Amino acid sequence: KTGIALLYEEVSQNAYDIRLKLTKEVLTIQKQDVVCVNGSDHSANHRTVTLHRQPVGGLGLSIKGGAEHKVPVVVSKIFKDQAADQTGMLFIGDAIIQVNGINVESATHEEVVHLLRNAGDEVTITVQYLREAPSFLKLPLGSPGPSSDHSSGASSPLFDSGLQLNGNSTNTAPSSPSSPIANQPKYEKRWLDTLSVPLSMARISRYKAGTDKLRSNAFEVLALDGVSTGILQFYTAQESADWLRAISTNISDLTLQNMKMANKCCSPSDQIIHMGWVNERLEGTDSSQLYKSKFLALKGSSFYIFSAPPVSTLDWVRAEKIYNLCEVLFKIHKLWLADDYWLQANLYLGIHQDYDLEDQRPYCFSVMVGHGKSHYFNVELCSDLAVWEKSFQRAIFLEVQRTGSKTYMCSWQGDSLCFTVDFALGFTCFDSKTKNVLWRFKFSQLKGSSDDGKTRVKLLFQNLDTKQIETKELEFQDLTAVLHCIHSFIAAKVASVDPVFVDSQSIARKYMYTN
């Protein structure tokens, strides 16, 4: 995929025309430059061109810019078949360095206009192609063409000053147009590669660093080694969305390749299910919301949070956080359904936790972990959110089936007990010393639960014989982890019985398909 975009500089607030070239593995940024395609002058940094003023059309070019605006004077138009065009050595975007040996790099727009108009019939100018022309100069891309703008009055640095008039020529006889000499260097304007960003493990950001401010029709691509494309800005929202999807797809495909290679070295019980970049919301001491890039991975029995992608086997033990998959809970928080409307979706029952959802980012999810803690994440695309939802579900179900059962120490009324959640048997409570079973219920017998938000939980079971509800109270050191484990086992049990029902509950995929 190739296309034209702008490279936006936030410091100077200028945007430069660039060309993007996307392959499966690399995003390349190209800038226009003038190159010598024959002769010995392969360096086209400076070109000296002699123009013969014509009675009709003059020098055949227009200029913009000036020192008063802290930009050089540049050639903004070249008129077809006139003096400048006939040389074959001048291009739109050329910055004028000298006029008849006089340096004009620090000259104002009016000074350069005056000098060119009063330079006589033969004008020698030295130029250098301006690869990064500020956007307010509005230099067109492509081949120069004719223009109806023949301004000869007062000039402005932001508008074309036409120099196709005679000026103050002392010779009224027609001057013969300059013709290319056989061995004269030939120049062409070409797109040249200036930066290549490898897409393996790269990430995309549409937001201004650390804020909720979404860039308009713009995003940034950052490579694994930190190399950045800079802010890529597009002319329309559709163009921006198309490029965002195309680059994101290639990054995802490369991540999948990396996963397959890594999984060849891992045991069947320790396979990578999914991994990728997200943004994690960090709560600052001044209550300001900041986001930081994190790399998440679902591998074997664990959920990993990294500051940078793991590229070697040793990196997996250097994760910032590692959680057991049976004891986490995935929850979607926000989906943008329109510009000013969002849907909050809760994907679990019986556990309540309030979140401050006043941030402006769509496609948010949280992963709730033990001791009532949680991590709040944001992804760039709705498709990313759907993949994470499905991946967490699959990774948790696989871990439940591999583990088979989880046992937790608990107590009630001073007695030390053990509570087991078993994929086949359901719930069992037994004395930790004597191992005597106190009670056992199937998953289908659990009819409700309530907790104090700290350590105590009430489980309501229906007795199969009497149909009466029996209440069992237990106290755990980490109640949240136990409740998450119960949820994981019940969800996995439902999925094993009715996988279609589980798929039908996907909030992110429902939204993605309806749109």
Side-chain angles (χ1 to χ4, degrees):
K1 182 179 174 69
T2 59
I4 302 299
L6 293 170
L7 185 62
Y8 179 73
E9 287 190 354
E10 289 184 306
V11 177
S12 64
Q13 295 187 337
N14 286 327
Y16 309 109
D17 288 311
I18 58 168
R19 185 173 182 260
L20 296 177
K21 185 171 68 175
L22 177 66
T23 64
K24 288 184 178 180
E25 297 182 349
V26 177
L27 176 65
T28 301
I29 293 178
Q30 299 178 318
K31 294 181 182 178
Q32 274 192 323
D33 206 345
V34 172
V35 296
C36 180
V37 294
N38 71 348
S40 59
D41 184 19
H42 295 292
S43 172
N45 288 340
H46 287 79
R47 283 164 282 126
T48 298
V49 185
T50 299
L51 300 174
H52 297 275
R53 196 187 304 273
Q54 297 177 351
V56 178
L59 299 178
L61 55 83
S62 294
I63 61 173
K64 280 183 179 178
E68 64 269 45
H69 280 270
K70 298 181 180 178
V71 294
V73 172
V74 298
V75 176
S76 58
K77 291 181 182 178
I78 293 177
F79 297 89
K80 191 171 178 61
D81 296 329
Q82 295 185 16
D85 185 38
Q86 289 174 357
T87 66
M89 295 178 66
L90 287 176
F91 298 87
I92 292 173
D94 278 338
I96 299 175
I97 308 298
Q98 291 183 347
V99 177
N100 286 346
I102 301 172
N103 190 289
V104 295
E105 289 179 280
S106 300
T108 65
H109 184 81
E110 280 294 341
E111 287 171 344
V112 178
V113 170
H114 179 78
L115 194 58
L116 287 170
R117 282 185 171 164
N118 294 278
D121 287 341
E122 189 173 281
V123 183
T124 300
I125 61 174
T126 299
V127 297
Q128 178 182 9
Y129 187 72
L130 191 64
R131 295 177 72 179
E132 297 181 347
S135 58
F136 65 78
L137 289 175
K138 293 182 179 176
L139 300 177
L141 289 168
S143 303
S147 171
S148 59
D149 183 1
H150 295 278
S151 169
S152 59
S155 58
S156 164
L158 299 186
F159 294 92
D160 292 304
S161 290
L163 295 163
Q164 65 273 22
L165 301 180
N166 288 331
N168 296 336
S169 174
T170 56
N171 182 3
T172 56
S175 301
S176 60
S178 57
S179 56
I181 304 170
N183 61 354
Q184 181 178 336
K186 181 181 178 183
Y187 296 92
E188 286 183 3
K189 189 187 286 188
R190 292 183 179 177
W191 289 105
L192 303 179
D193 293 355
T194 59
L195 179 67
S196 293
V197 177
L199 297 179
S200 179
M201 299 292 193
R203 64 184 176 91
I204 299 174
S205 176
R206 294 188 296 158
Y207 296 87
K208 293 183 179 179
T211 73
D212 283 334
K213 293 182 180 178
L214 186 69
R215 293 188 176 101
S216 178
N217 302 340
F219 58 84
E220 179 181 13
V221 182
L222 298 103
L224 178 60
D225 60 2
V227 172
S228 168
T229 58
I231 311 304
L232 304 177
Q233 195 164 13
F234 298 86
Y235 293 98
T236 66
Q238 186 62 50
E239 277 185 311
S240 178
D242 289 346
W243 274 98
L244 184 67
R245 275 193 293 267
I247 296 171
S248 179
T249 297
N250 288 13
I251 292 174
S252 297
D253 290 345
L254 290 170
T255 301
L256 190 60
Q257 288 181 23
N258 290 330
M259 284 168 47
K260 288 179 178 178
M261 289 182 63
N263 282 338
K264 290 179 180 179
C265 306
C266 300
S267 66
S269 63
D270 199 31
Q271 298 283 295
I272 303 170
I273 302 300
H274 186 58
M275 60 183 184
W277 286 102
V278 299
N279 302 304
E280 183 176 13
R281 189 177 73 182
L282 308 174
E283 297 295 343
T285 53
D286 57 354
S287 298
S288 64
Q289 292 176 353
L290 297 175
Y291 280 83
K292 192 171 183 180
S293 297
K294 300 288 182 180
F295 193 85
L296 307 185
L298 303 173
K299 181 176 183 287
S301 62
S302 302
F303 163 50
Y304 296 82
I305 301 178
F306 297 93
S307 57
V311 294
S312 70
T313 307
L314 289 174
D315 289 340
W316 288 95
V317 298
R318 297 170 182 162
E320 291 183 353
K321 300 285 184 181
I322 303 176
Y323 299 103
N324 183 274
L325 280 167
C326 287
E327 297 177 350
V328 302
L329 194 66
F330 177 92
K331 177 184 175 184
I332 286 181
H333 282 282
K334 286 171 64 178
L335 291 168
W336 283 116
L337 301 184
D339 289 340
D340 57 353
Y341 174 69
W342 58 268
L343 168 69
Q344 179 181 354
N346 291 338
L347 300 186
Y348 67 100
L349 298 173
I351 305 172
H352 177 73
Q353 185 162 340
D354 291 326
Y355 282 87
D356 174 16
L357 297 178
E358 293 183 357
D359 60 278
Q360 297 301 306
R361 296 192 178 207
Y363 317 134
C364 298
F365 69 91
S366 66
V367 179
M368 302 170 69
V369 296
H371 298 288
K373 296 181 180 179
S374 65
H375 297 271
Y376 188 90
F377 302 109
N378 149 260
V379 289
E380 299 292 338
L381 298 171
C382 183
S383 56
D384 295 337
L385 188 62
V387 170
W388 278 113
E389 181 188 18
K390 181 68 175 177
S391 298
F392 262 95
Q393 188 183 81
R394 180 168 171 244
I396 291 171
F397 291 176
L398 286 172
E399 176 57 16
V400 167
Q401 290 171 351
R402 274 194 302 263
T403 304
S405 67
K406 294 277 285 186
T407 299
Y408 296 91
M409 296 295 296
C410 60
S411 63
W412 183 245
Q413 294 180 340
D415 294 330
S416 179
L417 308 173
C418 290
F419 175 75
T420 297
V421 187
D422 189 282
F423 188 71
L425 301 176
F427 306 101
T428 303
C429 186
F430 58 90
D431 188 287
S432 63
K433 295 177 182 178
T434 64
K435 308 301 180 184
N436 292 330
V437 174
L438 303 178
W439 47 262
R440 177 177 285 139
F441 295 96
K442 295 179 181 179
F443 288 119
S444 58
Q445 290 178 267
L446 181 64
K447 299 304 178 183
S449 67
S450 63
D451 62 84
D452 63 358
K454 297 175 183 177
T455 59
R456 292 187 180 185
V457 63
K458 288 183 181 180
L459 300 174
L460 309 178
F461 297 103
Q462 186 178 46
N463 187 298
L464 293 178
D465 297 324
T466 65
K467 305 301 180 184
Q468 297 297 309
I469 297 296
E470 296 183 19
T471 301
K472 303 297 182 183
E473 293 190 43
L474 298 171
E475 191 167 351
F476 296 90
Q477 190 174 10
D478 185 357
L479 177 61
T480 309
V482 177
L483 294 176
H484 291 173
C485 183
I486 293 172
H487 177 274
S488 296
F489 272 72
I490 291 177
K493 193 71 174 178
V494 172
S496 67
V497 175
D498 190 357
V500 176
F501 171 77
V502 174
D503 285 341
S504 72
Q505 302 308 298
S506 170
I507 299 295
R509 276 173 287 155
K510 274 183 184 177
Y511 166 64
M512 194 167 66
Y513 294 148
T514 56
N515 282 269

